[in-house]
Amino acid sequence: MTVFEASTRPGETPPADAVAPRDSSADAPTSVARLNATIRDFVARWNTVWVEGEITSWNVRGGNIFARLKDTRSDAQISIRIWSSVRPRIPGDLAVGDHVVAAVKADYFVKAGDFSFAVSAMKHVGLGDQLEKLEKLRLQLRQEGLFDASRKKRLPFLPHVIGLITGEKSDAEKDVHRNAELRWPQVRFRTEYAAVQGDRCVPETLAALARLDTDPDVDVIVIARGGGDPQTLLGFSDERLVRAVAAATTPIVSAIGHENDHPLLDDVADLRASTPTDAAKRVVPDVSEQRALIAQLRSRATTRLTQRLSHDIAQLEQLRSRPSLRSPDPIIESRSQDVWLLLSRGRDTITRQHDAAGRATSELRASLRALSPAATLSRGYAIAHLEGGVILRDAADAPAGSSLTITVDRGSVAARSEGEIAEAPVPRSG
């Protein structure tokens, strides 16, 4: 603390540093340093206060932050300073436009006569509790499988009609229309306007989604908004809207914010686009790219067909150049002689085999005839049969009066036995 001491003599005007501001006059003014020191000492006795407002400027210099905080209901503003030692204790995502509550203490700089407030703590207004609830809801929906990639629907290659849910006369609508039409001029839109923040955001978006999802002409739905702070995007994390998007039958693209914005709608949508412009580029193909691709495919097909035809022509020429196709007569003539020789050899072999088989058959026939009873009968013998076809082998088996059948070389005759004939004695030689 600066100490001002009077060094005056009786009757002399005291120096300015020696005059307290409350004792100053036109003849004995106080000094600027004494005035600023007095103000500083007075302000230093103020306690820390909590103040609510909106950040209107945010500048980082040398690790410290110099900003301004505006009243939410009037134009009143204050200057605030956040020293580098305090920055680790405040949220890292604070930015211009955020609605915050800050713990501030008045600070007066004597040298510059600058009055501001030093921040010791700062947080989003009511956002902490909401973010905590959102994280719990995010975990619950993930456990239910609403974020699984397996349930996400594939976008059509070229949609006939694009359903668009966005704010009326918004930059997001212009971005989607302009970029989609640049890529595919014939693209058609069916736009449903809805509030993109505030209390009307969720019910109006749900109604628009229901109308577009039941329209058979709509092939894909884009929900677009041009970013914003987490507070203004809370409607797109509403559980009713998230579950309605998950239950929709039409593929849905979420184009709510920029890269750092991440409402629950991004997780449940079939495709998340970083911006409305990105959504337009990913929903419809680029006609120039498709024409180039078609030209490339045509060129590749022409090249492959030309190569195939050239290869086949070369193959045919190679086949035609072979001796068998160029002059087949000598080959046929040389082979005909071989065929004639093989045919003659085959005939001789068959003839010899046939003659040998005939001789073997004759020999077998002669042997069979020699062993057959018919051969015996042909020599004058006969066979006698009793009744029932039994061959008579013993004369005693045919007593007088027995009926006989006599079989000779040709035919048979009936006979009757006169009994056994006594054998004549065989004369002995002297």
Side-chain angles (χ1 to χ4, degrees):
M1 179 177 178
T2 304
V3 178
F4 300 97
E5 296 181 354
S7 58
T8 60
R9 297 177 182 179
E12 293 182 356
T13 302
D17 285 344
V19 179
R22 66 176 179 273
D23 300 329
S24 64
S25 65
D27 296 328
T30 187
S31 67
V32 173
R34 185 70 182 265
L35 175 62
N36 281 353
T38 303
I39 296 173
R40 180 197 61 194
D41 295 341
F42 176 76
V43 169
R45 294 194 296 268
W46 294 359
N47 294 324
T48 299
V49 297
W50 284 92
V51 61
E52 177 183 355
E54 179 186 347
I55 298 175
T56 58
S57 68
W58 189 267
N59 300 311
V60 180
R61 295 198 301 269
N64 305 314
I65 298 175
F66 300 86
R68 294 190 67 82
L69 206 61
K70 177 181 177 296
D71 187 77
T72 57
R73 293 181 178 84
S74 67
D75 294 332
Q77 298 187 34
I78 60 172
S79 297
I80 59 175
R81 290 182 175 90
I82 304 174
W83 304 119
S84 58
S85 59
V86 179
R87 288 186 65 182
R89 302 199 301 269
I90 66 173
D93 60 346
L94 291 171
V96 173
D98 288 355
H99 188 188
V100 298
V101 172
V104 299
K105 183 175 176 58
D107 193 7
Y108 187 79
F109 286 82
V110 174
K111 184 176 181 180
D114 186 11
F115 183 80
S116 65
F117 292 86
V119 176
S120 58
M122 182 178 287
K123 64 179 182 178
H124 292 282
V125 174
L127 190 59
D129 295 338
Q130 292 173 334
L131 292 178
E132 183 178 357
K133 293 179 181 178
L134 287 183
E135 290 305 318
K136 291 181 179 179
L137 179 58
R138 191 189 304 273
L139 179 60
Q140 175 187 346
L141 297 176
R142 179 178 287 108
Q143 292 174 346
E144 294 180 16
L146 296 188
F147 299 163
D148 293 347
S150 58
R151 59 158 296 278
K152 295 184 182 295
K153 296 176 285 295
R154 187 175 181 179
L155 270 62
F157 170 72
L158 180 59
H160 294 88
V161 177
I162 299 175
L164 177 60
I165 301 175
T166 187
E168 187 174 2
K169 298 180 180 179
S170 64
D171 292 337
E173 179 185 10
K174 297 176 183 177
D175 289 343
V176 172
H177 277 266
R178 180 174 60 254
N179 287 278
E181 290 167 357
L182 285 174
R183 293 173 64 84
W184 200 272
Q186 281 73 34
V187 66
R188 293 188 297 144
F189 284 91
R190 178 182 171 185
T191 304
E192 293 285 344
Y193 296 115
V196 292
Q197 67 183 59
D199 297 336
R200 296 186 296 116
C201 174
V202 175
E204 291 185 6
T205 304
L206 284 172
L209 177 62
R211 290 191 292 270
L212 293 178
D213 192 35
T214 55
D215 189 340
D217 295 331
V218 175
D219 297 319
V220 63
I221 299 173
V222 177
I223 303 177
R225 173 194 159 90
D229 60 84
Q231 186 74 30
T232 59
L233 298 181
L234 287 176
F236 297 100
S237 293
D238 188 90
E239 184 175 2
R240 294 170 297 170
L241 178 58
V242 171
R243 293 191 179 278
V245 170
T249 58
T250 307
I252 295 179
V253 177
S254 173
I256 299 304
H258 300 290
E259 290 293 344
N260 296 328
D261 306 327
H262 192 58
L264 295 182
L265 181 61
D266 288 346
D267 294 321
V268 75
D270 299 296
L271 177 66
R272 178 188 183 252
S274 58
T275 61
T277 299
D278 181 47
K281 293 180 178 179
R282 302 178 70 174
V283 168
V284 296
D286 189 338
V287 63
S288 60
E289 292 179 359
Q290 296 306 312
R291 287 175 176 171
L293 178 59
I294 292 173
Q296 181 182 3
L297 293 175
R298 283 179 175 174
S299 176
R300 290 171 58 185
T302 301
T303 302
R304 292 293 298 273
L305 183 59
T306 303
Q307 291 175 349
R308 182 58 184 269
L309 290 175
S310 300
H311 177 268
D312 291 347
I313 291 173
Q315 289 288 96
L316 289 174
E317 291 296 332
Q318 184 180 1
L319 291 174
R320 290 177 59 187
S321 64
R322 292 180 179 179
S324 58
L325 295 179
R326 185 177 66 251
S327 181
D329 293 341
I331 299 176
I332 295 176
E333 291 174 357
S334 63
R335 293 300 182 184
S336 64
Q337 181 67 22
D338 296 337
V339 172
W340 184 84
L341 292 175
L342 292 174
L343 181 59
S344 299
R345 188 180 303 170
R347 286 175 178 173
D348 293 342
T349 300
I350 292 174
T351 300
R352 288 196 300 269
Q353 291 179 352
H354 182 269
D355 294 343
R359 290 191 298 270
T361 302
S362 300
E363 292 174 359
L364 290 174
R365 184 181 294 111
S367 299
L368 182 60
R369 286 179 179 176
L371 297 175
S372 174
T376 303
L377 295 178
S378 65
R379 295 198 300 271
Y381 292 92
I383 300 175
H385 295 80
L386 298 173
E387 292 182 358
V390 179
I391 297 177
L392 179 63
R393 301 180 184 276
D394 191 347
D397 293 336
S402 300
S403 298
L404 300 173
T405 300
I406 307 300
T407 300
V408 294
D409 183 28
R410 190 186 66 79
S412 301
V413 295
R416 187 173 297 279
S417 175
E418 295 295 335
E420 183 178 357
I421 301 175
E423 294 182 3
V426 179
R428 297 181 181 183
S429 60

